[in-house]
Amino acid sequence: MISGNRPEIKNYSNYPNYIYFDYQEIQDSISKSSLKKVAMISTAFKQFSNWNGKGRLTHIDKQKVEKIIKKAKKLKKPFRFWATPDSKTAWKAFSELGVDIINTDKPAKCFNYLNELPQKIAEIKSFSKVYTPTFKINSSKKTVKNIILLIGDGNGLSQISSTALVNNGELTLTQLKDIGLIKTQSADDFTTDSAAAGTALATGKKTNNRAIGVNPKGKPIKNIIEIVSEQGFNTGIITTDEITGATPAAFYAHQKDRSQKNEIATDLINSNLNLFVGGGSATFENLAIENKFRLIKSTNDLKKANNKVGFFISKKKPTPVQNGRDNILAEVTKESIAFFKQKQKPFFLLVEAAQIDSFGHYNDTNGIITESIDFDKAITEAIKFADKDGETLVIITADHETGGFSIPQGNIKNHLIEGSFTTNDHTATMVPIFAYGPQSHLFTGVYENTEVFFKILKSISK
Ligand SMILES: [Zn+2]
């Protein structure tokens, strides 16, 4: 294809059949025989706009650009602008405008970006019904009776922002007023994993990555569930991970490495938990868990359950929301709270939305947001109960951020978000913590993740 110095258009058809031309005189007319020799239509972008590729084209420029593209398309040849801004935002804008050939000095980067874009864009169709709390008991000085701790694994600020923005701009979570930020570094790493972060939240001690409920030397540390059990609390854990996953395990197990699944499973069986719900029954096949926990088969069975119940929602890791997991996280949260309430003893319930992290690792925007909306539904159940109960403190936080997730573009009206990722791993960015109920004010400020443990103990101390 000849570009640059080209012959006169009327002479195109005199050239051999393997030679084509870049037609740049779109304003003029062209004969049928010459048009046959056109491989591509090009024109200078600067004639229509001075856009630098940041933000959006102005409405007036966009109309001009659309008009020339429409004119070019009538000739049914691929269309290109030259001298264009050369950025992700520009590549996306031109591709959405229907420009067929993107002009760039970074073809590989441009190809990868546009190729992966569908996976980075989420268009959300199912939403969290926002509950507005009464705030009657919020931040009161009253001693707390029950604790509900909800952990969104990998649920950083962009995860929360994107979820709120697609959910008509708000979540139940974003109604809350007592907010802080926690630092997540582990004992041996700038960037934590879920094992060390879970252990920090559960025990108030920093430990090494991969360690579950033990200190950097491998010595077991008492966790919050063990401590409050001794004070007469009933305790439970709910997760959308396998129940032996690092985050839930940090609240009942003591092992040097998160991969010691069998040992962690045995710790669960021997734990003083009254209730657990999660995936991963396969791990327990030869472990006689039935001797310690009555295994139930549905959320409904929770209503009639007595003490020490276990509910496996899947053999391995539970199905993601975007692949058809139903409303189970919110349902079991609601029924577990009812289960504890009828016992008339104080309770500590941990709820983990585990797969926000998984989709951060996969750099899958839709996965992150659908899991995070699912999480907000569980949060809603906890906040509703706290309002009715008046003695329950609800704490919502994350163990770390995953994906270096950011949200460069989106559309609130169409519930659309474009995600961008700096890594397929965790990051060290501080994560938000929200609290609602008596003593919620204890959780404001900026502090280490280990402080959460001490703040919880303070909230329940008489
Ligand atoms: Zn992770």
Side-chain angles (χ1 to χ4, degrees):
M1 180 178 66
I2 312 287
S3 190
N5 287 333
R6 290 152 297 128
E8 280 189 60
I9 298 163
K10 64 177 194 306
N11 295 332
Y12 281 5
S13 52
N14 301 337
Y15 286 79
N17 59 8
Y18 55 85
I19 290 182
Y20 287 86
F21 299 93
D22 178 16
Y23 174 56
Q24 304 184 355
E25 293 79 7
I26 175 84
Q27 313 296 2
D28 309 338
S29 60
I30 183 167
S31 71
K32 262 193 177 163
S33 58
S34 293
L35 186 62
K36 266 191 187 162
K37 299 292 285 176
V38 167
M40 166 171 88
I41 301 167
S42 302
T43 191
F45 181 68
K46 290 230 154 56
Q47 285 177 266
F48 307 95
S49 174
N50 286 318
W51 186 44
N52 66 358
K54 295 189 175 78
R56 252 45 63 194
L57 271 162
T58 64
H59 292 288
I60 293 169
D61 285 8
K62 196 175 174 207
Q63 278 171 4
K64 286 193 235 164
V65 167
E66 279 170 344
K67 204 170 150 197
I68 188 69
I69 293 172
K70 204 173 162 195
K71 186 169 178 189
K73 292 259 166 182
K74 281 198 181 130
L75 298 176
K76 297 194 163 45
K77 301 282 179 182
F79 177 73
R80 167 184 79 119
F81 281 121
W82 78 76
T84 53
D86 203 4
S87 66
K88 282 182 184 172
T89 308
W91 301 333
K92 186 183 177 197
F94 289 129
S95 114
E96 284 177 352
L97 283 162
V99 171
D100 302 290
I101 295 168
I102 308 274
N103 219 59
T104 178
D105 291 332
K106 305 162 203 157
K109 272 192 179 159
C110 174
F111 172 81
N112 285 338
Y113 170 72
L114 290 175
N115 195 36
E116 288 168 4
L117 198 53
Q119 207 205 348
K120 303 284 187 288
I121 292 182
E123 192 179 352
I124 299 301
K125 302 257 158 69
S126 167
F127 304 98
S128 170
K129 195 168 168 241
V130 174
Y131 170 72
T132 311
T134 64
F135 291 99
K136 271 186 202 147
I137 39 94
N138 197 51
S139 209
S140 78
K141 300 272 153 36
K142 213 166 144 183
T143 299
V144 170
K145 188 175 172 199
N146 312 308
I147 301 273
I148 307 174
L149 172 62
L150 299 108
I151 299 177
D153 204 308
N155 203 28
L157 186 54
S158 285
Q159 284 79 353
I160 295 170
S161 307
S162 56
T163 309
L165 292 171
V166 297
N167 202 64
N168 300 310
E170 56 175 357
L171 297 168
T172 298
L173 179 63
T174 60
Q175 307 304 305
L176 305 187
K177 294 172 180 173
D178 290 313
I179 307 164
L181 292 169
I182 58 174
K183 292 180 256 181
T184 64
Q185 281 63 45
S186 66
D188 69 340
D189 205 318
F190 179 68
T191 307
T192 190
D193 72 346
S194 292
T199 301
L201 295 168
T203 69
K205 298 258 164 35
K206 296 268 187 187
T207 190
N208 293 344
N209 281 1
R210 305 201 66 83
I212 301 281
V214 296
N215 71 13
K217 289 190 172 130
K219 209 174 139 249
I221 324 165
K222 221 175 208 184
N223 63 52
I224 186 86
I225 283 192
E226 288 158 346
I227 293 167
V228 299
S229 294
E230 285 171 7
Q231 297 178 16
F233 279 59
N234 283 316
T235 57
I237 294 179
I238 299 169
T239 179
T240 51
D241 191 1
E242 295 190 21
I243 193 68
T244 52
T247 309
F251 285 80
Y252 65 78
H254 304 279
Q255 298 297 338
K256 279 183 193 146
D257 196 286
R258 57 189 291 172
S259 65
Q260 294 169 278
K261 252 188 174 184
N262 275 322
E263 291 84 346
I264 290 170
T266 306
D267 282 353
L268 176 75
I269 293 169
N270 297 325
S271 74
N272 43 21
L273 282 168
N274 302 86
L275 164 95
F276 74 83
V277 182
S281 62
T283 310
F284 293 82
E285 258 154 28
N286 303 313
L287 291 177
I289 189 168
E290 301 85 351
N291 295 343
K292 293 284 178 70
F293 287 88
R294 194 168 83 80
L295 296 184
I296 58 170
K297 294 211 162 58
S298 78
T299 314
N300 257 340
D301 293 343
L302 262 175
K303 291 196 171 90
K304 354 172 209 167
N306 274 318
N307 214 2
K308 299 281 274 181
V309 279
F311 178 17
F312 283 113
I313 58 176
S314 57
K315 244 182 139 177
K316 299 221 155 136
K317 192 171 174 163
T319 309
V321 169
Q322 65 182 9
N323 296 343
R325 190 174 81 234
D326 55 10
N327 207 20
I328 194 157
L329 183 64
E331 279 167 18
V332 292
T333 300
K334 187 180 174 188
E335 291 306 330
S336 300
I337 292 170
F339 166 85
F340 285 124
K341 184 65 187 167
Q342 65 173 358
K343 295 187 183 310
Q344 299 182 339
K345 276 170 78 178
F347 69 86
F348 179 101
L349 176 63
L350 170 73
V351 179
E352 189 209 15
Q355 298 193 30
I356 302 166
D357 171 68
S358 317
F359 289 105
H361 286 293
Y362 301 146
N363 289 1
D364 180 333
T365 307
N366 192 71
I368 289 175
I369 297 177
T370 48
E371 293 297 330
S372 184
I373 283 181
D374 187 59
F375 186 37
D376 198 61
K377 293 178 185 172
I379 293 168
T380 302
E381 293 301 337
I383 301 285
K384 274 185 179 171
F385 173 76
D387 269 346
K388 258 186 260 157
D389 181 64
E391 297 181 299
T392 299
L393 172 65
V394 182
I395 305 150
I396 304 110
T397 191
D399 48 356
H400 52 72
E401 195 278 340
T402 308
F405 186 49
S406 68
I407 47 174
Q409 302 192 54
N411 184 315
I412 291 184
K413 213 173 88 204
N414 299 339
H415 313 288
L416 218 100
I417 291 280
E418 179 192 334
S420 177
F421 298 85
T422 59
T423 176
N424 61 4
D425 207 340
H426 302 168
T427 69
T429 312
M430 289 188 277
V431 289
I433 182 163
F434 298 75
Y436 182 72
Q439 306 287 350
S440 59
H441 54 277
L442 291 177
F443 293 83
T444 61
V446 180
Y447 47 92
E448 291 290 342
N449 54 2
T450 42
E451 288 301 307
V452 176
F453 167 88
F454 296 103
K455 287 173 190 291
I456 292 174
L457 286 184
K458 191 171 176 195
S459 76
I460 56 173
S461 70
K462 302 235 161 63

